[in-house]
């Protein structure tokens, strides 16, 4: 995610970022950045680039908010600055700092280096099991269990349920579900997510009617998973 309000910088990145493995998304204001940082979409990004001087405020505010919620690598971009301003950004939580004008090739290398370092220090995810109401959910084995009764999940159902679980108690936008479970951008005309949510609700309700309403519809946004207990 690139939070930058200078159109020429955005266009330069779009034209010169010559690595097809990467997807670049853009925001232009502190307001948009705050909305992004406080959504579940933050977890789906590998790195954030933030311009320190945005038209409606300071990028340091966004840096501080993002760092309080995630260990995602963050690189600050500035058109003017000195050793003190760089030190301020690092002390708030920036992983790196680049000055304009910059080499896109070098910036890309820094992004990849930070991403690889984050992966190398990540611990393997443990088997993911939790309870939705009275139902035991096992994402690793793709099953829902209640007493002696079991319902199997498809791989996509399991991924959707995991995305909802990781944002349990919070609104989970369809755009976030699409990126993390379907591995594509959300198209409002595409009802795939709605169909699979209804299937999940049906399987939960078949096992235990009281647990069937745990997936709530948040009109205009997406869904929210409630009544969760980690095992």
């Amino acid at each position: 995610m690139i939070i930058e309000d200078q159109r020429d910088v955005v266009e330069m990145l779009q034209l010169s970022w010559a690595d097809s493995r990467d997807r670049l998304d853009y925001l232009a204001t502190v307001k948009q950045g705050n909305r992004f940082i406080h959504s579940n979409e933050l977890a789906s990004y590998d790195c954030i680039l933030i311009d320190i001087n945005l038209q409606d405020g300071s990028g340091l505010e966004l840096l501080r908010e993002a760092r309080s919620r995630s260990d995602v690598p963050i690189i600050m971009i500035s058109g003017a600055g000195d050793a003190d301003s760089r030190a301020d950004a690092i002390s708030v939580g920036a992983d790196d700092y680049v000055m304009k004008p910059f080499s896109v090739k070098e910036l890309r290398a820094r992004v990849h280096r930070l991403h690889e370092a984050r992966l190398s220090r990540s611990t393997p995810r443990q088997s993911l099991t939790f309870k939705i109401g009275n139902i035991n959910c096992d994402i690793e084995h793709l099953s829902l269990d209640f007493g002696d009764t079991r319902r199997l999940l498809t791989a996509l159902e399991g991924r959707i349920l995991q995305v909802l679980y990781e944002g349990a108690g919070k609104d989970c936008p369809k755009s976030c579900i699409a990126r993390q479970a379907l591995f594509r951008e959300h198209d409002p005309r595409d009802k795939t997510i709605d169909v699979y949510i209804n299937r999940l609700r049906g399987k939960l309700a078949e096992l235990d009617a009281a647990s069937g309403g745990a997936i709530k519809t948040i009109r205009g946004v997406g869904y929210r998973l409630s009544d969760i207990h980690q095992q």
Side-chain angles (χ1 to χ4, degrees):
M1 176 60 77
I2 298 164
I3 305 175
E4 167 63 67
D5 59 0
Q6 285 189 251
R7 190 65 207 170
D8 58 337
V9 174
V10 171
E11 291 175 350
M12 178 183 67
L13 290 169
Q14 289 173 326
L15 291 171
S16 305
W17 197 282
D19 193 325
S20 59
R21 296 173 299 172
D22 298 331
R23 187 188 79 235
L24 308 184
D25 292 333
Y26 302 89
L27 298 172
T29 66
V30 170
K31 183 177 180 180
Q32 291 172 340
N34 267 317
R35 189 179 303 120
F36 159 69
I37 288 166
H38 288 88
S39 75
N40 289 333
E41 292 190 66
L42 176 62
S44 66
Y45 286 82
D46 297 316
C47 189
I48 305 175
L49 311 180
I50 306 176
D51 189 352
I52 286 182
N53 298 304
L54 295 165
Q55 59 185 343
D56 61 336
S58 172
L60 290 176
E61 172 191 334
L62 296 178
L63 167 63
R64 189 175 289 107
E65 286 297 313
R67 186 52 71 231
S68 70
R69 299 173 64 85
S70 172
D71 68 345
V72 62
I74 301 173
I75 299 176
M76 301 304 293
I77 301 172
S78 178
D82 52 25
D84 288 338
S85 62
R86 289 194 292 273
D88 288 343
I90 298 298
S91 66
V92 172
D95 296 280
D96 207 343
Y97 187 108
V98 297
M99 295 290 297
K100 299 175 183 175
F102 52 80
S103 160
V104 176
K105 183 178 180 180
E106 178 185 350
L107 179 61
R108 189 176 70 245
R110 292 188 186 202
V111 168
H112 285 183
R113 176 183 58 80
L114 288 171
H115 176 55
E116 289 166 2
R118 187 190 190 199
L119 289 178
S120 68
R121 67 176 181 264
S122 297
T123 56
R125 177 174 288 172
Q126 298 178 347
S127 175
L128 184 58
T129 59
F130 52 92
K131 293 190 74 171
I132 297 179
N134 300 312
I135 298 173
N136 294 313
C137 303
D138 187 334
I139 299 301
E140 181 181 9
H141 297 99
L142 295 175
S143 68
L144 302 174
D145 299 283
F146 180 64
D148 295 328
T149 308
R150 168 170 289 190
R151 290 289 181 272
L152 295 179
L153 299 169
T154 67
L156 179 52
E157 288 170 342
R159 290 198 301 271
I160 291 174
L161 199 56
Q162 182 173 350
V163 173
L164 292 173
Y165 166 75
E166 290 176 347
K170 301 176 183 177
D171 296 353
C172 190
K174 290 183 180 180
S175 58
C176 180
I177 298 173
R179 286 173 178 167
Q180 297 187 48
L182 279 64
F183 310 122
R184 62 173 184 256
E185 294 298 313
H186 175 57
D187 181 345
R189 299 167 297 180
D190 184 352
K191 302 302 180 184
T192 301
I193 293 173
D194 305 296
V195 169
Y196 275 88
I197 289 290
N198 286 334
R199 289 183 183 179
L200 284 168
R201 284 171 169 162
K203 290 182 178 182
L204 291 168
E206 285 176 14
L207 291 168
D208 176 44
S211 303
I215 303 177
K216 311 291 185 184
T217 298
I218 309 302
R219 191 173 299 278
V221 178
Y223 299 95
R224 180 195 300 147
L225 189 59
S226 60
D227 196 16
I228 303 302
H229 312 282
Q230 186 158 10
Q231 295 182 312

